[in-house]
Amino acid sequence: MSPLNILVTGATGFLGRSVVQSLRQSGATVATLSRKPGASITGDAGVAGPWMDAVRRLRPDRVIHLAGASRPGIEECPLEFNATGTALLVEALAGLDTWMLLAGSGAVYGAVEDVALPVHETRLPSPSSPYGVSKLAQEQQAQNHRGPLCITRIANLFGPGQSSDYFAGRLVNEVVRLSADGGELRLGRLSPTRDFIDVRDAADAICQLAQGRVAGLFNLGSGNETPLRSVVEIVCLNCPGNYSIVEDTALAGGIERQVLSIARLSSAIGWSPKFTLERSLADMVSTAGDHSFSDR
């Protein structure tokens, strides 16, 4: 049996690096699309360009679409990049029987009442943030793909190498610094809960979905609801020192509770997370400052 021919967009990002590594370890032939030099195809997936012809010539068996903007920036609007980039990829794949996976987000569900937790895929999306709106628009564009389509709604990614743009990454990087230098870290409310999924577990699930060309809509998380306060406590236990954490309850904290049901995904591919919250955070602490894990 010949190796799988897989294209990964956003291959140099936080999730992309783990997915590419897992695919190559499985023996797949992996091509990458990224704005950064060194990719198999260099290009901005959010703008029409020569990369689209390169994708057509490649004729991949499978495409794992991870490219996208996760935060509003000066140079790119998440709605435009996420939706437009996906529409362009679908156009590039027109006429091919390519299986496509879209890395979506649990943010499309928005705030959910307690009785509806954990959130199932049958829940109608009602995003409450610009990012959630952009990811729902991205899903809608992906549904124009004529080949097999798999959409994963991913919970809060974290793990070794996460940048300080995200809660867990910032917390670990700052606390590691404070454990050596001392000082104070001011955070927002710590009572909200989140579903944290290790990037390595998420990559493993995506690779299994790709291997089986599984189509459908799946939540991808840990299935566990964790208060932000617990994350802080675990990180501090791993980083003794003379510093303080200050909770500023006046700062916005987003939605109050989040946890995804992963029953459908587990039933489809027999997958479950391997990394505990404690293990993941310990790994983040031990690799903080290691540029080989850089998220940039």
Side-chain angles (χ1 to χ4, degrees), residues 13-34:
F14 181 49
L15 178 56
R17 293 194 306 274
S18 288
V19 168
V20 169
Q21 181 181 27
S22 294
L23 288 171
R24 286 178 172 157
Q25 288 175 346
S26 73
T29 299
V30 182
T32 57
L33 168 61
S34 173

Side-chain angles (χ1 to χ4, degrees), residues 1-6 26-29 61-62 207 210-213:
M1 180 175 164
S2 59
L4 302 180
N5 176 24
I6 302 178
S26 73
T29 299
D61 303 319
R62 294 156 171 81
C207 291
Q211 288 165 355
R213 281 175 64 99

Side-chain angles (χ1 to χ4, degrees), residues 8-13 32-39 41-47 51 67-70 75-76 81 296:
V8 179
T9 74
T12 57
T32 57
L33 168 61
S34 173
R35 286 175 287 186
K36 295 185 178 180
I41 301 172
T42 303
D44 184 341
V47 179
W51 67 267
S70 59
E75 298 180 353
E76 61 186 13
F81 188 88
R296 291 291 180 196

Side-chain angles (χ1 to χ4, degrees), residues 116-168:
L117 296 173
V119 184
H120 291 261
E121 292 87 348
T122 51
R123 176 84 183 188
L124 290 177
S126 181
S128 55
S129 67
Y131 175 61
V133 171
S134 78
K135 295 302 283 186
L136 182 58
Q138 186 181 38
E139 285 189 15
Q140 292 165 345
Q141 291 297 332
Q143 288 164 0
N144 292 322
H145 178 57
R146 297 304 182 189
L149 175 65
C150 179
I151 295 176
T152 56
R153 289 177 174 168
I154 305 175
N156 290 68
L157 285 171
F158 76 134
Q162 187 173 45
S163 75
S164 293
D165 293 316
Y166 302 89
F167 175 79

Side-chain angles (χ1 to χ4, degrees), residues 49-220:
W51 67 267
M52 298 174 67
D53 288 330
V55 169
R56 293 186 189 102
R57 289 193 299 270
L58 181 66
R59 299 183 66 87
D61 303 319
R62 294 156 171 81
V63 170
I64 297 175
H65 184 36
L66 308 179
S70 59
R71 297 168 306 281
I74 296 174
E75 298 180 353
E76 61 186 13
C77 167
L79 178 58
E80 294 176 355
F81 188 88
N82 289 332
T84 303
T86 301
L88 292 172
L89 179 60
V90 168
E91 180 182 340
L93 296 173
L96 302 178
D97 185 33
T98 299
W99 174 90
M100 175 178 166
L101 179 140
L102 171 68
S105 173
V108 300
Y109 293 117
V112 177
E113 60 272 20
D114 292 355
V115 295
L117 296 173
V119 184
H120 291 261
E121 292 87 348
T122 51
R123 176 84 183 188
L124 290 177
S126 181
S128 55
S129 67
Y131 175 61
V133 171
S134 78
K135 295 302 283 186
L136 182 58
Q138 186 181 38
E139 285 189 15
Q140 292 165 345
Q141 291 297 332
Q143 288 164 0
N144 292 322
H145 178 57
R146 297 304 182 189
L149 175 65
C150 179
I151 295 176
T152 56
R153 289 177 174 168
I154 305 175
N156 290 68
L157 285 171
F158 76 134
Q162 187 173 45
S163 75
S164 293
D165 293 316
Y166 302 89
F167 175 79
R170 179 196 173 209
L171 174 67
V172 167
N173 292 331
E174 288 293 318
V175 169
V176 167
R177 180 184 62 80
L178 290 174
S179 67
D181 302 335
E184 175 185 288
L185 175 60
R186 184 172 294 273
L187 299 172
R189 294 189 305 115
L190 299 177
S191 57
T193 65
R194 296 292 183 267
D195 185 335
F196 288 97
I197 175 70
D198 191 292
V199 67
R200 295 165 291 187
D201 278 326
D204 178 56
I206 288 172
C207 291
Q208 289 188 44
L209 289 165
Q211 288 165 355
R213 281 175 64 99
V214 179
L217 171 64
F218 301 96
N219 288 337
L220 175 49

